[in-house]
Amino acid sequence: MNCKQVQRLLVPYINGDLDEREEGEFVRHVRHCPECYDELEVYSSVFAGIRQLDGDETKVDYRTLVEDSLKTSEEDVLDVRFWHVYSFLLKIAATAALFFLIMRGLF
Ligand SMILES: [Zn+2]
């Protein structure tokens, strides 16, 4: 993902509208790109300010806003990866068990 793509996804990211793949790539880029990090900081502050004015959020820590958001995203992406691997292994185990049962039934 390049800077242009990240800039386009700033608002969807803040609104939580990215899928897990996009979110993972977005966070990886922002972690290594100071310009996009700064941009995210500005957007996050503006959006948090608007939510605060709307009364949706009462207390916002602007110093840790972006860090908290990026950490949450990284944890979410890790969780999703874990479940993908877990469900993949579970399917293999289920298939092996089924195969074993069929083979036993035939012989
Ligand atoms: Zn960038």
Side-chain angles (χ1 to χ4, degrees):
M1 194 174 277
N2 60 35
C3 293
K4 217 171 188 173
Q5 292 168 307
V6 166
Q7 313 277 319
R8 259 203 326 263
L9 294 177
L10 283 167
V11 175
Y13 171 76
I14 291 167
N15 288 332
D17 292 335
L18 299 185
D19 63 38
E20 76 234 14
R21 187 189 54 79
E22 283 176 322
E23 188 176 0
E25 287 178 27
F26 181 93
V27 170
R28 257 196 308 282
H29 179 94
V30 170
R31 279 284 185 214
H32 297 101
C33 180
E35 290 84 23
C36 289
Y37 187 97
D38 288 347
E39 200 82 6
L40 178 62
E41 209 159 40
V42 171
Y43 272 71
S44 296
S45 299
V46 170
F47 275 72
I50 292 169
R51 279 197 296 268
Q52 210 171 15
L53 286 174
D54 286 346
D56 293 343
E57 272 175 48
T58 48
K59 214 172 125 198
V60 177
D61 190 346
Y62 288 94
R63 289 167 304 137
T64 59
L65 194 63
V66 171
E67 265 317 302
D68 290 348
S69 163
L70 290 176
K71 275 185 194 142
T72 304
S73 291
E74 285 165 342
E75 284 164 12
D76 288 352
V77 170
L78 273 181
D79 280 352
V80 167
R81 269 198 210 130
F82 170 78
W83 283 110
H84 278 211
V85 170
Y86 182 75
S87 71
F88 176 72
L89 293 176
L90 209 61
K91 279 177 202 157
I92 289 176
T95 306
L98 195 64
F99 184 72
F100 179 75
L101 288 175
I102 290 170
M103 292 309 278
R104 269 188 66 144
L106 290 177
F107 296 107

Short mmCIF file of all heavy atoms in Angstrom, two decimals, residues 31-91:
data_model
loop_
_atom_site.label_atom_id
_atom_site.label_comp_id
_atom_site.label_asym_id
_atom_site.label_seq_id
_atom_site.Cartn_x
_atom_site.Cartn_y
_atom_site.Cartn_z
N ARG A 31 2.77 2.68 10.25
CA ARG A 31 3.83 2.44 11.24
C ARG A 31 5.21 2.85 10.70
O ARG A 31 6.10 3.21 11.47
CB ARG A 31 3.88 0.96 11.62
CG ARG A 31 2.86 0.58 12.63
CD ARG A 31 3.27 1.05 13.99
NE ARG A 31 2.38 0.60 15.04
CZ ARG A 31 2.10 1.32 16.12
NH1 ARG A 31 2.64 2.49 16.30
NH2 ARG A 31 1.28 0.86 17.03
N HIS A 32 5.39 2.77 9.38
CA HIS A 32 6.70 3.06 8.80
C HIS A 32 6.76 4.34 8.00
O HIS A 32 7.78 4.65 7.39
CB HIS A 32 7.15 1.88 7.93
CG HIS A 32 7.32 0.63 8.73
ND1 HIS A 32 6.38 -0.36 8.75
CD2 HIS A 32 8.31 0.26 9.57
CE1 HIS A 32 6.79 -1.31 9.58
NE2 HIS A 32 7.95 -0.97 10.08
N CYS A 33 5.66 5.11 7.97
CA CYS A 33 5.63 6.33 7.16
C CYS A 33 5.23 7.51 8.05
O CYS A 33 4.06 7.65 8.40
CB CYS A 33 4.64 6.15 6.01
SG CYS A 33 4.52 7.61 4.97
N PRO A 34 6.20 8.35 8.40
CA PRO A 34 5.92 9.48 9.29
C PRO A 34 4.88 10.45 8.72
O PRO A 34 4.06 10.99 9.47
CB PRO A 34 7.27 10.20 9.42
CG PRO A 34 8.29 9.24 8.94
CD PRO A 34 7.61 8.28 8.01
N GLU A 35 4.87 10.64 7.39
CA GLU A 35 3.90 11.57 6.78
C GLU A 35 2.48 11.06 6.98
O GLU A 35 1.59 11.82 7.37
CB GLU A 35 4.17 11.76 5.28
CG GLU A 35 5.43 12.53 4.96
CD GLU A 35 6.68 11.65 4.96
OE1 GLU A 35 6.54 10.42 4.77
OE2 GLU A 35 7.79 12.19 5.16
N CYS A 36 2.26 9.78 6.70
CA CYS A 36 0.91 9.22 6.84
C CYS A 36 0.51 9.13 8.32
O CYS A 36 -0.66 9.30 8.65
CB CYS A 36 0.83 7.85 6.17
SG CYS A 36 0.88 7.96 4.37
N TYR A 37 1.49 8.87 9.18
CA TYR A 37 1.21 8.84 10.62
C TYR A 37 0.69 10.20 11.07
O TYR A 37 -0.30 10.30 11.77
CB TYR A 37 2.48 8.46 11.39
CG TYR A 37 2.24 8.23 12.87
CD1 TYR A 37 2.05 6.94 13.36
CD2 TYR A 37 2.22 9.30 13.76
CE1 TYR A 37 1.83 6.74 14.72
CE2 TYR A 37 1.99 9.10 15.10
CZ TYR A 37 1.81 7.82 15.59
OH TYR A 37 1.59 7.62 16.92
N ASP A 38 1.40 11.26 10.64
CA ASP A 38 0.98 12.63 10.98
C ASP A 38 -0.41 12.92 10.45
O ASP A 38 -1.24 13.52 11.14
CB ASP A 38 1.96 13.65 10.42
CG ASP A 38 3.28 13.65 11.18
OD1 ASP A 38 3.34 13.04 12.28
OD2 ASP A 38 4.26 14.24 10.68
N GLU A 39 -0.65 12.50 9.22
CA GLU A 39 -1.95 12.72 8.60
C GLU A 39 -3.06 12.00 9.40
O GLU A 39 -4.11 12.57 9.65
CB GLU A 39 -1.92 12.17 7.16
CG GLU A 39 -2.98 12.73 6.26
CD GLU A 39 -2.61 14.09 5.67
OE1 GLU A 39 -1.47 14.55 5.88
OE2 GLU A 39 -3.47 14.67 5.03
N LEU A 40 -2.77 10.77 9.80
CA LEU A 40 -3.75 10.01 10.59
C LEU A 40 -4.01 10.71 11.92
O LEU A 40 -5.14 10.75 12.40
CB LEU A 40 -3.25 8.58 10.82
CG LEU A 40 -4.15 7.68 11.67
CD1 LEU A 40 -5.52 7.49 11.00
CD2 LEU A 40 -3.49 6.32 11.90
N GLU A 41 -2.95 11.27 12.50
CA GLU A 41 -3.08 11.97 13.77
C GLU A 41 -4.04 13.16 13.63
O GLU A 41 -4.92 13.35 14.47
CB GLU A 41 -1.69 12.46 14.21
CG GLU A 41 -1.53 12.55 15.70
CD GLU A 41 -0.05 12.51 16.08
OE1 GLU A 41 0.77 13.13 15.37
OE2 GLU A 41 0.27 11.87 17.07
N VAL A 42 -3.86 13.92 12.55
CA VAL A 42 -4.72 15.09 12.31
C VAL A 42 -6.17 14.65 12.13
O VAL A 42 -7.08 15.16 12.80
CB VAL A 42 -4.24 15.87 11.06
CG1 VAL A 42 -5.25 16.95 10.68
CG2 VAL A 42 -2.87 16.49 11.31
N TYR A 43 -6.39 13.68 11.23
CA TYR A 43 -7.75 13.19 10.97
C TYR A 43 -8.39 12.62 12.24
O TYR A 43 -9.54 12.89 12.52
CB TYR A 43 -7.74 12.10 9.88
CG TYR A 43 -7.84 12.64 8.48
CD1 TYR A 43 -6.78 13.33 7.90
CD2 TYR A 43 -8.99 12.45 7.72
CE1 TYR A 43 -6.87 13.81 6.61
CE2 TYR A 43 -9.08 12.93 6.42
CZ TYR A 43 -8.02 13.61 5.88
OH TYR A 43 -8.10 14.09 4.60
N SER A 44 -7.62 11.82 12.98
CA SER A 44 -8.16 11.20 14.19
C SER A 44 -8.58 12.25 15.19
O SER A 44 -9.63 12.14 15.82
CB SER A 44 -7.12 10.28 14.84
OG SER A 44 -6.82 9.22 13.98
N SER A 45 -7.75 13.29 15.34
CA SER A 45 -8.07 14.36 16.30
C SER A 45 -9.34 15.09 15.88
O SER A 45 -10.20 15.37 16.71
CB SER A 45 -6.92 15.36 16.39
OG SER A 45 -5.76 14.72 16.83
N VAL A 46 -9.44 15.39 14.59
CA VAL A 46 -10.63 16.10 14.10
C VAL A 46 -11.88 15.25 14.33
O VAL A 46 -12.89 15.73 14.87
CB VAL A 46 -10.48 16.43 12.59
CG1 VAL A 46 -11.80 16.94 12.01
CG2 VAL A 46 -9.38 17.47 12.40
N PHE A 47 -11.81 13.96 13.95
CA PHE A 47 -12.98 13.09 14.10
C PHE A 47 -13.33 12.88 15.57
O PHE A 47 -14.51 12.86 15.93
CB PHE A 47 -12.74 11.74 13.41
CG PHE A 47 -13.09 11.79 11.95
CD1 PHE A 47 -12.30 12.48 11.05
CD2 PHE A 47 -14.23 11.17 11.47
CE1 PHE A 47 -12.62 12.55 9.70
CE2 PHE A 47 -14.57 11.22 10.13
CZ PHE A 47 -13.76 11.91 9.24
N ALA A 48 -12.31 12.74 16.43
CA ALA A 48 -12.58 12.57 17.86
C ALA A 48 -13.21 13.85 18.42
O ALA A 48 -14.13 13.78 19.24
CB ALA A 48 -11.29 12.25 18.61
N GLY A 49 -12.75 15.00 17.94
CA GLY A 49 -13.33 16.27 18.36
C GLY A 49 -14.79 16.38 17.98
O GLY A 49 -15.62 16.81 18.77
N ILE A 50 -15.10 15.95 16.75
CA ILE A 50 -16.50 16.00 16.28
C ILE A 50 -17.37 15.07 17.12
O ILE A 50 -18.46 15.43 17.55
CB ILE A 50 -16.58 15.60 14.78
CG1 ILE A 50 -15.92 16.70 13.93
CG2 ILE A 50 -18.02 15.37 14.34
CD1 ILE A 50 -15.70 16.32 12.48
N ARG A 51 -16.84 13.85 17.36
CA ARG A 51 -17.62 12.89 18.17
C ARG A 51 -17.85 13.44 19.58
O ARG A 51 -18.91 13.25 20.17
CB ARG A 51 -16.91 11.54 18.24
CG ARG A 51 -17.15 10.69 17.00
CD ARG A 51 -16.79 9.23 17.26
NE ARG A 51 -15.38 9.07 17.54
CZ ARG A 51 -14.46 8.81 16.62
NH1 ARG A 51 -14.81 8.65 15.38
NH2 ARG A 51 -13.21 8.67 16.96
N GLN A 52 -16.83 14.14 20.09
CA GLN A 52 -16.94 14.72 21.43
C GLN A 52 -18.02 15.82 21.44
O GLN A 52 -18.82 15.89 22.36
CB GLN A 52 -15.59 15.30 21.84
CG GLN A 52 -15.36 15.27 23.33
CD GLN A 52 -13.93 15.66 23.68
OE1 GLN A 52 -13.19 16.21 22.86
NE2 GLN A 52 -13.54 15.36 24.90
N LEU A 53 -18.03 16.63 20.39
CA LEU A 53 -19.05 17.69 20.29
C LEU A 53 -20.44 17.10 20.18
O LEU A 53 -21.40 17.64 20.71
CB LEU A 53 -18.77 18.58 19.07
CG LEU A 53 -17.60 19.56 19.19
CD1 LEU A 53 -17.37 20.27 17.87
CD2 LEU A 53 -17.84 20.56 20.31
N ASP A 54 -20.54 15.95 19.47
CA ASP A 54 -21.84 15.27 19.32
C ASP A 54 -22.27 14.61 20.62
O ASP A 54 -23.39 14.15 20.74
CB ASP A 54 -21.76 14.20 18.23
CG ASP A 54 -21.74 14.82 16.84
OD1 ASP A 54 -22.05 16.03 16.72
OD2 ASP A 54 -21.40 14.11 15.87
N GLY A 55 -21.33 14.49 21.57
CA GLY A 55 -21.64 13.87 22.84
C GLY A 55 -21.46 12.37 22.84
O GLY A 55 -21.82 11.68 23.79
N ASP A 56 -20.91 11.82 21.75
CA ASP A 56 -20.69 10.37 21.66
C ASP A 56 -19.52 9.93 22.54
O ASP A 56 -19.49 8.82 23.06
CB ASP A 56 -20.41 9.94 20.21
CG ASP A 56 -21.63 10.14 19.33
OD1 ASP A 56 -22.74 10.28 19.89
OD2 ASP A 56 -21.48 10.16 18.10
N GLU A 57 -18.53 10.79 22.68
CA GLU A 57 -17.37 10.47 23.52
C GLU A 57 -17.17 11.61 24.50
O GLU A 57 -17.19 12.78 24.13
CB GLU A 57 -16.11 10.31 22.65
CG GLU A 57 -15.94 8.90 22.14
CD GLU A 57 -14.76 8.76 21.19
OE1 GLU A 57 -13.67 9.24 21.53
OE2 GLU A 57 -14.96 8.16 20.13
N THR A 58 -17.00 11.24 25.75
CA THR A 58 -16.86 12.28 26.77
C THR A 58 -15.41 12.65 27.02
O THR A 58 -15.06 13.81 27.17
CB THR A 58 -17.52 11.85 28.09
OG1 THR A 58 -17.08 10.53 28.39
CG2 THR A 58 -19.03 11.90 27.98
N LYS A 59 -14.53 11.63 27.05
CA LYS A 59 -13.12 11.91 27.36
C LYS A 59 -12.23 11.33 26.26
O LYS A 59 -12.26 10.15 25.99
CB LYS A 59 -12.77 11.23 28.69
CG LYS A 59 -11.76 12.04 29.49
CD LYS A 59 -11.60 11.44 30.88
CE LYS A 59 -10.13 11.16 31.09
NZ LYS A 59 -9.89 10.21 32.18
N VAL A 60 -11.45 12.20 25.64
CA VAL A 60 -10.54 11.74 24.58
C VAL A 60 -9.13 12.15 24.96
O VAL A 60 -8.87 13.30 25.29
CB VAL A 60 -10.92 12.38 23.22
CG1 VAL A 60 -9.93 11.96 22.15
CG2 VAL A 60 -12.33 12.01 22.82
N ASP A 61 -8.22 11.17 24.93
CA ASP A 61 -6.82 11.47 25.19
C ASP A 61 -6.13 11.66 23.84
O ASP A 61 -5.79 10.70 23.18
CB ASP A 61 -6.17 10.33 25.98
CG ASP A 61 -4.79 10.74 26.48
OD1 ASP A 61 -4.25 11.77 26.00
OD2 ASP A 61 -4.24 10.04 27.34
N TYR A 62 -5.97 12.91 23.45
CA TYR A 62 -5.46 13.21 22.12
C TYR A 62 -4.00 12.79 21.94
O TYR A 62 -3.55 12.56 20.83
CB TYR A 62 -5.62 14.70 21.80
CG TYR A 62 -7.06 15.08 21.56
CD1 TYR A 62 -7.85 15.57 22.58
CD2 TYR A 62 -7.63 14.91 20.31
CE1 TYR A 62 -9.17 15.89 22.37
CE2 TYR A 62 -8.96 15.22 20.08
CZ TYR A 62 -9.72 15.71 21.11
OH TYR A 62 -11.05 16.01 20.90
N ARG A 63 -3.26 12.69 23.05
CA ARG A 63 -1.84 12.32 22.93
C ARG A 63 -1.68 10.86 22.51
O ARG A 63 -0.75 10.50 21.83
CB ARG A 63 -1.12 12.53 24.27
CG ARG A 63 -0.93 14.00 24.64
CD ARG A 63 -0.51 14.12 26.06
NE ARG A 63 -1.50 13.46 26.92
CZ ARG A 63 -1.21 12.67 27.96
NH1 ARG A 63 0.02 12.46 28.30
NH2 ARG A 63 -2.16 12.12 28.67
N THR A 64 -2.62 10.01 22.96
CA THR A 64 -2.48 8.57 22.67
C THR A 64 -3.53 8.08 21.67
O THR A 64 -3.63 6.87 21.45
CB THR A 64 -2.61 7.75 23.97
OG1 THR A 64 -3.89 8.03 24.54
CG2 THR A 64 -1.52 8.10 24.96
N LEU A 65 -4.27 9.01 21.08
CA LEU A 65 -5.37 8.65 20.18
C LEU A 65 -4.94 7.71 19.05
O LEU A 65 -5.50 6.63 18.87
CB LEU A 65 -5.96 9.94 19.59
CG LEU A 65 -7.30 9.84 18.90
CD1 LEU A 65 -8.37 9.41 19.89
CD2 LEU A 65 -7.66 11.19 18.29
N VAL A 66 -3.90 8.11 18.31
CA VAL A 66 -3.46 7.31 17.17
C VAL A 66 -2.79 6.02 17.64
O VAL A 66 -3.06 4.95 17.09
CB VAL A 66 -2.50 8.13 16.27
CG1 VAL A 66 -1.86 7.26 15.22
CG2 VAL A 66 -3.25 9.27 15.62
N GLU A 67 -1.94 6.11 18.66
CA GLU A 67 -1.27 4.91 19.17
C GLU A 67 -2.29 3.88 19.63
O GLU A 67 -2.16 2.69 19.31
CB GLU A 67 -0.33 5.27 20.33
CG GLU A 67 1.11 5.51 19.94
CD GLU A 67 1.67 4.51 18.92
OE1 GLU A 67 1.64 3.29 19.21
OE2 GLU A 67 2.10 4.93 17.85
N ASP A 68 -3.30 4.32 20.39
CA ASP A 68 -4.32 3.39 20.88
C ASP A 68 -5.04 2.73 19.71
O ASP A 68 -5.29 1.53 19.72
CB ASP A 68 -5.36 4.13 21.75
CG ASP A 68 -4.76 4.58 23.07
OD1 ASP A 68 -3.64 4.13 23.40
OD2 ASP A 68 -5.40 5.39 23.76
N SER A 69 -5.37 3.55 18.71
CA SER A 69 -6.09 3.04 17.55
C SER A 69 -5.25 2.02 16.78
O SER A 69 -5.73 0.95 16.40
CB SER A 69 -6.47 4.22 16.66
OG SER A 69 -6.81 3.78 15.39
N LEU A 70 -3.96 2.35 16.56
CA LEU A 70 -3.08 1.44 15.81
C LEU A 70 -2.87 0.13 16.58
O LEU A 70 -2.88 -0.95 15.99
CB LEU A 70 -1.73 2.10 15.53
CG LEU A 70 -1.75 3.25 14.50
CD1 LEU A 70 -0.37 3.88 14.40
CD2 LEU A 70 -2.21 2.77 13.14
N LYS A 71 -2.71 0.23 17.90
CA LYS A 71 -2.52 -0.98 18.72
C LYS A 71 -3.74 -1.88 18.65
O LYS A 71 -3.63 -3.09 18.52
CB LYS A 71 -2.20 -0.60 20.17
CG LYS A 71 -0.73 -0.32 20.38
CD LYS A 71 -0.43 -0.06 21.84
CE LYS A 71 0.97 0.53 21.95
NZ LYS A 71 1.06 1.56 22.97
N THR A 72 -4.92 -1.27 18.75
CA THR A 72 -6.16 -2.04 18.66
C THR A 72 -6.25 -2.75 17.31
O THR A 72 -6.59 -3.93 17.24
CB THR A 72 -7.39 -1.12 18.85
OG1 THR A 72 -7.26 -0.44 20.09
CG2 THR A 72 -8.68 -1.90 18.84
N SER A 73 -5.90 -2.02 16.24
CA SER A 73 -5.94 -2.62 14.90
C SER A 73 -4.96 -3.77 14.79
O SER A 73 -5.28 -4.82 14.24
CB SER A 73 -5.58 -1.57 13.85
OG SER A 73 -6.59 -0.63 13.75
N GLU A 74 -3.75 -3.59 15.31
CA GLU A 74 -2.75 -4.65 15.24
C GLU A 74 -3.21 -5.89 15.99
O GLU A 74 -3.03 -7.02 15.53
CB GLU A 74 -1.41 -4.15 15.79
CG GLU A 74 -0.70 -3.21 14.81
CD GLU A 74 0.42 -2.41 15.43
OE1 GLU A 74 0.48 -2.28 16.67
OE2 GLU A 74 1.24 -1.89 14.67
N GLU A 75 -3.85 -5.68 17.14
CA GLU A 75 -4.37 -6.82 17.90
C GLU A 75 -5.49 -7.51 17.15
O GLU A 75 -5.56 -8.74 17.10
CB GLU A 75 -4.86 -6.35 19.28
CG GLU A 75 -3.72 -6.09 20.24
CD GLU A 75 -4.13 -5.26 21.45
OE1 GLU A 75 -5.36 -5.08 21.67
OE2 GLU A 75 -3.23 -4.78 22.15
N ASP A 76 -6.38 -6.70 16.53
CA ASP A 76 -7.49 -7.27 15.75
C ASP A 76 -6.96 -8.11 14.60
O ASP A 76 -7.45 -9.21 14.34
CB ASP A 76 -8.37 -6.16 15.17
CG ASP A 76 -9.21 -5.49 16.24
OD1 ASP A 76 -9.22 -5.98 17.38
OD2 ASP A 76 -9.83 -4.46 15.93
N VAL A 77 -5.96 -7.57 13.88
CA VAL A 77 -5.40 -8.29 12.73
C VAL A 77 -4.75 -9.59 13.20
O VAL A 77 -4.91 -10.64 12.58
CB VAL A 77 -4.39 -7.39 11.98
CG1 VAL A 77 -3.63 -8.19 10.95
CG2 VAL A 77 -5.13 -6.24 11.30
N LEU A 78 -4.04 -9.55 14.32
CA LEU A 78 -3.42 -10.76 14.87
C LEU A 78 -4.48 -11.79 15.25
O LEU A 78 -4.33 -12.98 14.97
CB LEU A 78 -2.58 -10.43 16.10
CG LEU A 78 -1.13 -10.02 15.84
CD1 LEU A 78 -0.44 -9.73 17.16
CD2 LEU A 78 -0.39 -11.10 15.07
N ASP A 79 -5.57 -11.32 15.89
CA ASP A 79 -6.66 -12.22 16.28
C ASP A 79 -7.24 -12.90 15.05
O ASP A 79 -7.46 -14.11 15.05
CB ASP A 79 -7.78 -11.43 16.97
CG ASP A 79 -7.46 -11.15 18.43
OD1 ASP A 79 -6.44 -11.69 18.92
OD2 ASP A 79 -8.20 -10.39 19.05
N VAL A 80 -7.49 -12.12 13.99
CA VAL A 80 -8.08 -12.67 12.77
C VAL A 80 -7.14 -13.71 12.17
O VAL A 80 -7.56 -14.79 11.78
CB VAL A 80 -8.38 -11.54 11.76
CG1 VAL A 80 -8.69 -12.11 10.39
CG2 VAL A 80 -9.52 -10.68 12.25
N ARG A 81 -5.82 -13.40 12.14
CA ARG A 81 -4.85 -14.37 11.59
C ARG A 81 -4.86 -15.65 12.41
O ARG A 81 -4.84 -16.74 11.86
CB ARG A 81 -3.44 -13.76 11.63
CG ARG A 81 -3.16 -13.06 10.36
CD ARG A 81 -1.70 -12.82 10.15
NE ARG A 81 -1.59 -11.62 9.37
CZ ARG A 81 -0.83 -10.60 9.65
NH1 ARG A 81 -0.02 -10.65 10.67
NH2 ARG A 81 -0.82 -9.53 8.91
N PHE A 82 -4.91 -15.50 13.74
CA PHE A 82 -4.93 -16.68 14.61
C PHE A 82 -6.13 -17.55 14.28
O PHE A 82 -6.00 -18.76 14.12
CB PHE A 82 -4.98 -16.25 16.08
CG PHE A 82 -5.24 -17.39 17.02
CD1 PHE A 82 -4.23 -18.27 17.36
CD2 PHE A 82 -6.52 -17.60 17.53
CE1 PHE A 82 -4.48 -19.34 18.20
CE2 PHE A 82 -6.78 -18.67 18.36
CZ PHE A 82 -5.77 -19.54 18.71
N TRP A 83 -7.32 -16.93 14.12
CA TRP A 83 -8.53 -17.70 13.85
C TRP A 83 -8.50 -18.33 12.47
O TRP A 83 -9.03 -19.42 12.28
CB TRP A 83 -9.78 -16.83 14.05
CG TRP A 83 -10.05 -16.67 15.51
CD1 TRP A 83 -9.90 -15.55 16.25
CD2 TRP A 83 -10.42 -17.70 16.43
NE1 TRP A 83 -10.16 -15.81 17.57
CE2 TRP A 83 -10.49 -17.12 17.71
CE3 TRP A 83 -10.72 -19.06 16.30
CZ2 TRP A 83 -10.84 -17.85 18.85
CZ3 TRP A 83 -11.06 -19.78 17.44
CH2 TRP A 83 -11.12 -19.18 18.68
N HIS A 84 -7.87 -17.66 11.52
CA HIS A 84 -7.74 -18.25 10.18
C HIS A 84 -6.89 -19.52 10.26
O HIS A 84 -7.26 -20.56 9.72
CB HIS A 84 -7.09 -17.26 9.22
CG HIS A 84 -8.06 -16.27 8.66
ND1 HIS A 84 -7.93 -15.73 7.41
CD2 HIS A 84 -9.19 -15.72 9.19
CE1 HIS A 84 -8.94 -14.90 7.20
NE2 HIS A 84 -9.70 -14.87 8.27
N VAL A 85 -5.75 -19.45 10.95
CA VAL A 85 -4.86 -20.61 11.08
C VAL A 85 -5.57 -21.70 11.87
O VAL A 85 -5.56 -22.88 11.49
CB VAL A 85 -3.54 -20.20 11.78
CG1 VAL A 85 -2.72 -21.44 12.14
CG2 VAL A 85 -2.73 -19.28 10.88
N TYR A 86 -6.24 -21.31 12.96
CA TYR A 86 -6.93 -22.27 13.81
C TYR A 86 -8.02 -23.00 13.03
O TYR A 86 -8.11 -24.24 13.09
CB TYR A 86 -7.53 -21.53 15.01
CG TYR A 86 -8.24 -22.40 15.99
CD1 TYR A 86 -7.53 -23.20 16.88
CD2 TYR A 86 -9.63 -22.42 16.04
CE1 TYR A 86 -8.18 -24.00 17.79
CE2 TYR A 86 -10.30 -23.22 16.94
CZ TYR A 86 -9.57 -24.01 17.82
OH TYR A 86 -10.23 -24.81 18.71
N SER A 87 -8.83 -22.25 12.28
CA SER A 87 -9.92 -22.90 11.54
C SER A 87 -9.38 -23.77 10.41
O SER A 87 -9.94 -24.81 10.10
CB SER A 87 -10.94 -21.88 11.03
OG SER A 87 -10.39 -21.12 9.99
N PHE A 88 -8.26 -23.34 9.81
CA PHE A 88 -7.62 -24.14 8.76
C PHE A 88 -7.16 -25.49 9.35
O PHE A 88 -7.42 -26.55 8.77
CB PHE A 88 -6.43 -23.37 8.19
CG PHE A 88 -5.63 -24.13 7.17
CD1 PHE A 88 -6.15 -24.38 5.90
CD2 PHE A 88 -4.36 -24.59 7.47
CE1 PHE A 88 -5.42 -25.08 4.96
CE2 PHE A 88 -3.62 -25.30 6.54
CZ PHE A 88 -4.16 -25.54 5.28
N LEU A 89 -6.48 -25.44 10.51
CA LEU A 89 -6.01 -26.68 11.15
C LEU A 89 -7.18 -27.57 11.56
O LEU A 89 -7.10 -28.79 11.45
CB LEU A 89 -5.13 -26.35 12.36
CG LEU A 89 -3.80 -25.67 12.03
CD1 LEU A 89 -3.06 -25.29 13.31
CD2 LEU A 89 -2.93 -26.59 11.16
N LEU A 90 -8.25 -26.92 12.02
CA LEU A 90 -9.43 -27.67 12.43
C LEU A 90 -10.05 -28.41 11.24
O LEU A 90 -10.47 -29.55 11.35
CB LEU A 90 -10.45 -26.69 13.03
CG LEU A 90 -11.39 -27.24 14.09
CD1 LEU A 90 -10.57 -27.73 15.29
CD2 LEU A 90 -12.36 -26.16 14.54
N LYS A 91 -10.08 -27.74 10.08
CA LYS A 91 -10.63 -28.37 8.88
C LYS A 91 -9.78 -29.57 8.46
O LYS A 91 -10.29 -30.60 8.05
CB LYS A 91 -10.70 -27.36 7.73
CG LYS A 91 -11.91 -26.46 7.81
CD LYS A 91 -11.90 -25.44 6.70
CE LYS A 91 -12.76 -24.25 7.07
NZ LYS A 91 -12.40 -23.04 6.35
#
